[in-house]
Amino acid sequence: SFEFITFKPTAVSGLSGSAALGQTYSFEITGDLTIKDVTKSVVFKATATPETEQKLSGTASTVINRDDYGLTIPNVPFVANVSQDVTLELDFVAAPTS
């Protein structure tokens, strides 16, 4: 019943001025992460590269505690335990639509 995780950005820090094509930039994206109807503020550490004047690609990651969101992992024999800390990673591309 909880098919999606949502993230609503509220702030971006660590960027200023103009960007050069092909150069990678590091910054942080703060926002509200919602999992299973639980919303908490998180900070994603991100890197992005302007590939063209119309296309930007990058990655972002953050670490959450699965208990904070009520996430439980079934205890299955012969399967290693899962850490309380879970890393969320995403790849993104920003480009205009046609």
Side-chain angles (χ1 to χ4, degrees):
S1 62
F2 298 100
E3 184 177 0
F4 297 104
I5 294 172
T6 61
F7 178 71
K8 181 181 177 185
T10 57
V12 175
S13 60
L15 292 176
S16 64
S18 60
L21 293 178
Q23 185 171 341
T24 300
Y25 297 88
S26 297
F27 55 99
E28 294 183 342
I29 307 167
T30 302
D32 297 325
L33 180 69
T34 302
I35 303 174
K36 290 182 64 176
D37 290 336
V38 176
T39 301
K40 299 211 176 269
S41 180
V42 299
V43 177
F44 277 88
K45 294 186 183 297
T47 60
T49 304
E51 296 179 16
T52 69
E53 290 187 16
Q54 298 293 314
K55 182 179 178 184
L56 174 79
S57 65
T59 62
S61 67
T62 191
V63 176
I64 64 164
N65 183 306
R66 62 184 172 89
D67 280 346
D68 289 347
Y69 293 90
L71 301 173
T72 57
I73 306 298
N75 188 2
V76 180
F78 308 110
V79 175
N81 288 335
V82 177
S83 172
Q84 289 298 106
D85 291 334
V86 177
T87 301
L88 301 178
E89 297 179 338
L90 61 96
D91 297 323
F92 61 87
V93 175
T97 58
S98 48

